[in-house]
Amino acid sequence: MASKDVQNQRRGLPRFLPGAPDPDQSLPASSSNSATQAWQPSLPLPNSFLPTVSLPPGLEYLSQLDLIIIHQQVELLGMILGTETSNKYEIKNNLGQRIYFAVEESICFNRTFCSTLRSCTLRITDNSGREVITVNRPLRCNSCWCPCYLQELEIQAPPGTIVGYVAQKWDPFLPKFTIQNANKEDILKIVGPCATCGCFGDVDFEVKTINEKLTIGKISKYWSGFVNNVFTNADNFGIHVPADLDVTVKAAMIGACFLFDFMFFEHSLAGL
């Protein structure tokens, strides 16, 4: 009876930070072939894949992912006219199947005159069109010489329920951010490189514990080649996280990825 209780305890809530893998949980690996669809159908997950607590509706697919791929769609009209259009992103799992789609909502005036600092709302929907995550970005400063009123995102999942924030922290040398819970308590830190230009390689933002002694993941901006980076604004990102990380924190990291795109890679020449 005691061994059964130990097994049930092991199969309980997913830990917030990564720990030792559970030897009793062996999930069958998913197989893919050429007939696999390019999008993940929005069907309920099997009970064996669900944690013992209810998740925010629509975030079930994040519960077992250790890699989230974000691909910005190319806006041909903006390329031709040289204007800044609303950003659109495909969010995929590690098999390349689309699980979410994100669309920026902002006014033309902000995109033209506020550029990368513009206020906007990103609405993330699943494949059935249901909005599952809302990311609100207010107009804020972005300068190492101005330690006040720095960048911040508000994460809602589902829309109307705040689950976290992404807040920029002042540092004269490195881009630093914190992921906060709904009470604005720091949970994790994100530390970027001194130079975010990329220079023909990936740019990694490390996800660390609060004391910055342990790295638990990273957000990478993938270098997609000289031609793509110079002549298009399309960026590709990968979020590497522990599979047992809380889904609301994974949602906040998706928001952080959007923020990094606005701040560091919005213009093609900055994405080299």
Side-chain angles (χ1 to χ4, degrees):
M1 184 66 178
S3 62
K4 185 176 181 180
D5 293 337
V6 171
Q7 290 180 355
N8 291 335
Q9 183 178 0
R10 285 180 177 176
R11 293 171 179 167
L13 294 174
R15 290 180 296 275
F16 177 77
L17 292 178
D22 190 345
D24 292 332
Q25 284 185 325
S26 57
L27 300 178
S30 300
S31 60
S32 61
N33 50 44
S34 59
T36 302
Q37 293 179 337
W39 52 273
Q40 180 70 32
S42 53
L43 298 174
L45 292 174
N47 291 332
S48 59
F49 284 77
L50 294 176
T52 56
V53 295
S54 60
L55 301 176
L59 301 191
E60 297 87 357
Y61 286 115
L62 296 179
S63 63
Q64 296 296 321
L65 292 183
D66 59 0
L67 172 61
I68 303 169
I69 300 171
I70 298 180
H71 173 69
Q72 183 179 3
Q73 290 193 333
V74 178
E75 293 294 331
L76 296 178
L77 179 62
M79 292 175 55
I80 296 173
L81 299 180
T83 58
E84 188 64 51
T85 58
S86 298
N87 289 347
K88 297 180 177 65
Y89 304 88
E90 283 187 310
I91 303 173
K92 305 177 181 180
N93 59 18
N94 55 357
L95 299 178
Q97 299 170 324
R98 192 176 86 178
I99 54 176
Y100 301 121
F101 188 73
V103 178
E104 173 196 352
E105 287 187 0
S106 60
I107 62 176
C108 181
F109 179 89
N110 286 346
R111 293 195 301 271
T112 303
F113 295 100
C114 299
S115 188
T116 60
L117 298 178
R118 62 184 181 267
S119 61
C120 63
T121 297
L122 288 129
R123 303 193 183 277
I124 303 176
T125 58
D126 61 16
N127 288 313
S128 66
R130 175 183 57 169
E131 184 175 349
V132 295
I133 305 173
T134 302
V135 179
N136 292 317
R137 184 198 188 197
L139 179 64
R140 293 264 183 154
C141 299
N142 177 25
S143 173
C144 62
W145 307 112
C146 180
C148 302
Y149 213 62
L150 296 177
Q151 292 292 305
E152 183 178 277
L153 291 183
E154 177 191 83
I155 314 298
Q156 300 178 7
T161 301
I162 298 175
V163 296
Y165 297 88
V166 179
Q168 183 183 14
K169 298 299 180 182
W170 183 82
D171 188 279
F173 304 109
L174 298 176
K176 290 189 176 183
F177 303 82
T178 59
I179 294 180
Q180 303 172 334
N181 61 17
N183 298 321
K184 289 200 170 183
E185 299 168 337
D186 293 347
I187 297 176
L188 295 171
K189 284 189 177 181
I190 303 177
V191 181
C194 182
T196 58
C197 63
C199 296
F200 308 102
D202 296 346
V203 180
D204 293 331
F205 294 79
E206 295 184 338
V207 181
K208 298 176 176 288
T209 54
I210 293 299
N211 56 16
E212 298 188 23
K213 292 183 178 180
L214 177 64
T215 299
I216 69 162
K218 65 179 180 178
I219 298 176
S220 299
K221 193 272 181 182
Y222 298 136
W223 186 67
S224 55
F226 179 81
V227 174
N228 285 338
N229 277 328
V230 171
F231 296 104
T232 74
N233 284 327
D235 295 316
N236 296 309
F237 296 87
I239 302 175
H240 302 259
V241 292
D244 58 358
L245 192 68
D246 190 282
V247 293
T248 59
V249 181
K250 292 180 182 180
M253 293 183 68
I254 292 175
C257 188
F258 295 149
L259 180 61
F260 298 161
D261 186 33
F262 280 112
M263 293 179 62
F264 306 113
F265 310 111
E266 179 72 10
H267 298 298
S268 57
L269 289 177
L272 285 175

